[in-house]
């Protein structure tokens, strides 16, 4: 199936695909009915014209199956044309088997019912008009069935009732099965729309935070520059006071650190806008963000578990991945601190066609009230509450997933990313 069609679970494409399978069932059923009536029941019906019509339907079925495998989208008018072709062949077969008096004439209603679940009102009216025109034609022009002469007898009436029973069973099965598939596609589409809406609301919140952070970074640059100018002068003025000089030196170092953080924020924003991935080995990438984490959290005891065969792996890391992992490590360090522990574990391993980053802490774990741990329900009380949201947004942008689970000693966050999104092709 073309990838772009996967985003359209209901509509013309879904109905056209359903008609392909329904057409195959119709070819098998019609062939069996002709053989039973002609060879087993010995009813004198025009077998050759009927088989010719079934062959034409088979040729059209091959074309329709090829058509839905093509990349260009299926339009509504094209689906109506498919329905018209099916109705024309069905009307042709009914013409040689009694016309409107044939018990299977109600099969003309099946395309209308399917169209009503997938097409617009004008398209449904078009399908209904085609089926109605076929029925009116069959009322006037048709080849009578030989058993019509027996309708006044018990044998003829029994055959007609049997045909009606078979027609009812076929219609019930077709409508029940295929309309259920279309209804399931509608439910899947509703779930996808709800998921997209929730993601949009979350991204809107992240964008608002990013806007506020950019404004704060711009405003903080001026007072930091002022402090960076005044602190050396204060140190010179109070050079004799050793204690004060040490405090001022510490403040000067903190101001420089704030300036470095602001410059990194600006550089990260520019990198995000350019969307240029960084080409590096897995070992160098891990070393880079682990060193940054140790500078931010010098008290944390990080245990790093990386298989040696993965270290030479060449990555094309997007800008947000490093910050997502640092956020996960920060959250893990905060959670471990709640139980007076500094231990944090980062394990990297390959899982099939993906690369998994597992961050484990020694904290209280996720909220015990939930049957399964969910993102954002940890017991951590401090922080702004956006670290996990940013990590989850990064995972979704890279077609990955962020999974939260409880362990025996705390909690585990697993960031799983497909290798095709983060490695050299």
């Amino acid at each position: 199936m073309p990838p772009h069609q996967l985003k359209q679970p209901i509509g013309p494409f879904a109905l056209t695909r359903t008609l392909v399978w329904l057409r195959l069932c119709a070819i098998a059923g019609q062939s069996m009915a002709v053989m039973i009536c002609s060879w087993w029941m010995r009813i004198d019906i025009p077998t050759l014209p009927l088989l010719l019509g079934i062959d034409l339907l088979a040729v059209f079925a091959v074309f329709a199956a090829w058509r839905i495998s093509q990349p260009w989208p299926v339009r509504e008018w094209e689906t109506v044309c498919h329905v018209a072709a099916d109705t024309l062949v069905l009307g042709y077969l009914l013409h040689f088997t009694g016309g409107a008096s044939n018990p299977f004439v109600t099969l003309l209603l099946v395309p209308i019912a399917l169209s009503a679940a997938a097409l617009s009102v004008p398209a449904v009216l078009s399908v209904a008009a085609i089926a109605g025109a076929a029925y009116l034609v069959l009322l006037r022009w048709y080849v009578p069935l030989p058993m019509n002469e027996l309708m006044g007898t018990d044998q003829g009436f029994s055959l007609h009732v049997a045909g009606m029973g078979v027609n009812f069973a076929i219609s019930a099965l077709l409508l029940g099965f295929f309309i259920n598939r279309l209804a399931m596609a509608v439910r899947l589409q509703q779930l996808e729309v709800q998921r997209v809406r929730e993601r949009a609301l979350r991204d809107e919140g992240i964008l608002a935070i990013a806007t506020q952070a950019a404004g704060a970074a711009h405003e903080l640059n001026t007072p930091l520059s002022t402090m960076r100018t005044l602190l050396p002068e204060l140190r010179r003025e109070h050079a004799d006071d050793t204690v004060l000089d040490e405090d001022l030196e510490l403040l000067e170092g903190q101001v420089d650190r704030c300036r470095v953080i602001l410059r990194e924020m600006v550089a990260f924003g520019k990198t995000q806008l350019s969307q240029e991935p960084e080409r590096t080995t897995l070992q160098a990438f891990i070393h880079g963000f682990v060193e940054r984490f140790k500078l931010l959290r010098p008290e944390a005891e990080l245990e790093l578990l990386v298989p040696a065969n993965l270290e030479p792996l060449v990555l094309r890391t997007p800008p947000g991945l490093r910050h997502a992992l640092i956020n996960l490590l920060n959250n893990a360090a905060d959670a471990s601190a709640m139980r007076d522990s500094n231990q944090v574990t980062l394990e990297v391993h390959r899982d099939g066609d993906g690369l998994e980053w597992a961050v484990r802490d020694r904290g209280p774990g996720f909220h015990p009230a939930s049957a399964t741990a969910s993102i954002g329900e940890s017991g951590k009380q401090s922080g702004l509450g956006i670290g996990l949201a940013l990590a989850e947004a990064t995972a979704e942008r890279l077609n990955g997933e962020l999974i939260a689970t409880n362990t025996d000693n705390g909690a585990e966050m697993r960031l799983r990313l497909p290798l095709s999104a983060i490695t050299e092709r």
Side-chain angles (χ1 to χ4, degrees):
M1 187 190 310
H4 69 278
Q5 299 285 13
L6 293 175
K7 301 178 182 179
Q8 301 175 358
I10 190 67
F13 178 79
L15 179 57
T16 304
R17 183 178 54 189
T18 300
L19 290 175
V20 169
W21 292 104
L22 182 59
R23 200 172 290 117
L24 296 177
C25 297
I27 292 171
Q30 291 165 358
S31 302
M32 188 179 300
V34 171
M35 289 187 291
I36 290 175
C37 293
S38 180
W39 297 343
W40 183 53
M41 300 180 66
R42 302 294 180 181
I43 299 177
D44 185 18
I45 57 176
T47 305
L48 186 60
L50 292 176
L51 293 178
L52 178 61
I54 296 173
D55 291 341
L56 292 175
L57 184 61
V59 172
F60 182 74
V62 172
F63 165 77
W66 169 83
R67 169 62 188 91
I68 63 171
S69 65
Q70 300 308 302
W72 56 85
V74 177
R75 305 298 181 185
E76 196 171 58
W77 63 265
E78 189 176 353
T79 304
V80 174
C81 292
H82 282 229
V83 174
D86 292 331
T87 304
L88 180 63
V89 174
L90 179 60
Y92 171 83
L93 298 178
L94 291 173
H95 168 77
F96 287 101
T97 53
S101 62
N102 190 314
F104 293 96
V105 72
T106 54
L107 290 177
L108 292 171
L109 297 175
V110 173
I112 301 176
L114 295 177
S115 301
L119 301 182
S120 63
V121 174
V124 174
L125 293 177
S126 301
V127 172
I130 294 171
Y135 186 82
L136 292 176
V137 171
L138 293 173
L139 282 173
R140 178 64 179 84
W141 294 280
Y142 62 90
V143 177
L145 282 172
M147 72 175 194
N148 286 351
E149 302 173 359
L150 303 174
M151 285 301 294
T153 65
D154 293 339
Q155 181 183 2
F157 183 73
S158 298
L159 287 175
H160 189 79
V161 171
M164 293 177 63
V166 173
N167 175 57
F168 177 81
I170 292 175
S171 301
L173 288 174
L174 292 178
L175 293 176
F177 178 73
F178 287 105
I179 290 184
N180 178 262
R181 288 187 60 182
L182 292 173
M184 186 179 300
V186 172
R187 290 192 293 270
L188 290 176
Q189 185 185 42
Q190 291 174 346
L191 291 175
E192 180 65 18
V193 169
Q194 181 180 359
R195 192 163 68 102
V196 170
R197 184 183 296 113
E198 292 174 355
R199 185 185 306 173
L201 291 175
R202 184 202 62 199
D203 292 344
E204 183 179 352
I206 293 175
L207 180 61
I209 294 173
T211 304
Q212 294 294 329
H218 180 72
E219 295 176 4
L220 285 174
N221 188 53
T222 300
L224 286 175
S225 299
T226 304
M227 286 188 288
R228 190 168 182 270
T229 303
L230 293 178
L231 285 172
E233 296 181 0
L234 290 174
R235 290 184 62 188
R236 286 193 298 269
E237 293 176 1
H238 302 277
D240 298 335
D241 192 339
T242 306
V243 177
L244 181 59
D245 184 70
E246 291 177 355
D247 292 340
L248 292 175
E249 182 180 2
L250 177 61
L251 285 175
E252 191 174 357
Q254 294 298 317
V255 169
D256 290 337
R257 183 180 175 185
C258 290
R259 287 174 58 84
V260 170
I261 293 174
L262 289 178
R263 284 198 296 267
E264 289 182 353
M265 288 176 59
V266 174
F268 174 69
K270 292 180 179 179
T271 308
Q272 283 281 56
L273 290 175
S274 65
Q275 293 295 320
E276 285 295 330
E278 177 186 359
R279 187 181 184 276
T280 181
T281 62
L282 178 63
Q283 182 182 13
F285 175 71
I286 293 177
H287 177 78
F289 76 80
V290 166
E291 288 299 317
R292 173 66 188 277
F293 171 70
K294 289 180 179 179
L295 288 175
L296 294 174
R297 307 296 295 266
E299 77 281 1
E301 300 175 4
L302 178 62
E303 180 184 9
L304 189 60
L305 304 175
V306 183
N309 61 333
L310 285 181
E311 291 181 352
L313 182 66
V314 179
L315 302 180
R316 297 176 69 252
T317 58
L321 181 57
R322 177 182 289 105
H323 290 265
L325 292 170
I326 292 176
N327 284 334
L328 294 180
L329 291 173
N330 268 322
N331 286 339
D334 290 337
S336 296
M338 296 178 66
R339 286 188 172 177
D340 299 325
S341 174
N342 293 325
Q343 296 182 359
V344 176
T345 303
L346 171 63
E347 181 181 0
V348 183
H349 64 273
R350 184 167 180 172
D351 182 17
D353 59 348
L355 194 66
E356 191 167 277
W357 313 73
V359 178
R360 290 187 286 270
D361 59 54
R362 301 296 186 271
F366 288 89
H367 201 286
S370 58
T372 58
S374 59
I375 295 176
E377 294 182 354
S378 65
K380 191 177 103 172
Q381 302 297 326
S382 61
L384 299 177
I386 63 173
L388 291 180
L390 292 173
E392 187 181 16
T394 301
E396 290 185 356
R397 188 169 63 251
L398 298 176
N399 297 323
E401 57 181 346
L402 184 64
I403 305 171
T405 55
N406 284 324
T407 62
D408 295 336
N409 301 320
E412 180 183 67
M413 299 297 302
R414 298 200 311 274
L415 177 62
R416 190 181 186 279
L417 302 174
L419 287 172
S420 58
I422 60 173
T423 59
E424 283 285 318
R425 298 187 183 278

